[in-house]
Amino acid sequence: APHSVCMCTINGTNVQEVKVWRGRGVGVEKAARNENWASVGTLSTSSEVQRLAFASSFPCFSLCVSPFSAKQDNSGFSRGGKRMKQRKNGEECAATRSSAQETTCIDILAAACVDGTVIVWSVDTATSPPTFSSACKLSKEHTVRVLGLAFAVSKNGDATVLFSGDDNGQVCVWRGPPPSSLSASSPPEFIKVQSVNMGRKLHDIAISPFGSTFGAVQWEGAPEVQFWPCNNDQ
């Protein structure tokens, strides 16, 4: 079956837009030389986008080693989430892979903005072009630009967890719907459940595959990466 990859990038000429791409022949050994990408859509935001993060349901890009992603939901499909990121020609990238024969599994795209807003969409990458829900805006918690985004799944699999970190060192933890209940027809609703201030500017954040360790790149003063244990039971 023909395989394809859905990729989202910050538009290099208009940073208030997220460009959506679909690639053919990506990851197929014999077709590698014929890899082809086409722009298939644009998502508009009200502020400049700083970071993108993708929580993918496709096994190659999901938390394959997490306790939950090894299980199956009621629909019989394995799910999980992991940010995939690369930078090319000044564009921040997040990717998820899909197959024409895969049964629909809904992913989540998140965008961190310079005004402190975090925007999330549900996305069905099995359609062509990919189908995005309306946007859910997470605002009023960050007052400066957000530079860190990371997804995880709660230990018992009943929630999608989003971490966001800003220029003031503020980290917010958001609880969203379980992966099995996502729909491209409605935006994923996230509620802030915790916040903590790291005391220094954050350049990026990450969560370990098991959700037991939180990492942050701090760049005020001497740049360094710090790690903290965290409880991902809820």
Side-chain angles (χ1 to χ4, degrees):
H3 285 73
S4 65
V5 172
C6 171
M7 177 172 64
C8 294
T9 68
I10 299 173
N11 189 341
T13 58
N14 181 358
V15 291
Q16 290 186 215
E17 291 183 346
V18 176
K19 296 184 70 174
V20 183
W21 306 80
R22 183 172 289 280
R24 291 291 180 181
V26 180
V28 181
E29 184 177 354
K30 293 183 179 180
R33 295 182 180 180
N34 298 319
E35 181 176 317
N36 181 48
W37 289 92
S39 177
V40 294
T42 301
L43 299 170
S44 297
T45 67
S46 58
S47 181
E48 296 180 5
V49 180
Q50 300 289 295
R51 288 285 192 274
L52 296 175
F54 219 126
S56 176
S57 59
F58 193 77
C60 287
F61 294 108
S62 65
L63 294 177
C64 298
V65 297
S66 72
F68 173 64
S69 62
K71 302 178 182 178
Q72 292 183 325
D73 60 26
N74 293 333
S75 301
F77 309 117
S78 297
R79 294 172 180 270
K82 181 180 180 181
R83 181 174 54 158
M84 298 295 294
K85 185 173 68 176
Q86 69 183 71
R87 190 180 289 272
K88 184 178 181 180
N89 296 329
E91 296 184 342
E92 189 81 7
C93 302
T96 184
R97 182 173 178 176
S98 63
S99 167
Q101 289 189 342
E102 290 291 331
T103 306
T104 302
C105 290
I106 306 301
D107 306 325
I108 304 177
L109 173 68
C113 299
V114 72
D115 66 353
T117 302
V118 177
I119 306 173
V120 290
W121 297 266
S122 294
V123 52
D124 180 359
T125 57
T127 62
S128 184
T131 302
F132 288 82
S133 70
S134 56
C136 174
K137 293 185 178 182
L138 311 179
S139 58
K140 300 181 180 180
E141 298 298 337
H142 295 289
T143 58
V144 294
R145 62 176 180 170
V146 177
L147 288 175
L149 284 177
F151 278 106
V153 178
S154 62
K155 190 173 182 180
N156 59 10
D158 67 347
T160 302
V161 183
L162 173 63
F163 298 81
S164 57
D166 67 30
D167 235 358
N168 285 341
Q170 184 81 6
V171 174
C172 291
V173 183
W174 309 83
R175 182 182 175 89
S180 58
S181 70
L182 293 171
S183 170
S185 63
S186 59
E189 298 291 336
F190 282 80
I191 300 174
K192 192 195 77 171
V193 295
Q194 187 178 359
S195 64
V196 61
N197 196 296
M198 299 297 180
R200 297 171 59 190
K201 291 183 178 181
L202 297 179
H203 180 69
D204 207 350
I205 60 176
I207 188 76
S208 67
F210 287 104
S212 59
T213 303
F214 177 83
V217 180
Q218 298 180 313
W219 65 338
E220 188 175 33
E224 61 183 0
V225 180
Q226 293 189 353
F227 299 92
W228 296 266
C230 61
N231 185 348
N232 195 27
D233 291 339
Q234 300 181 348

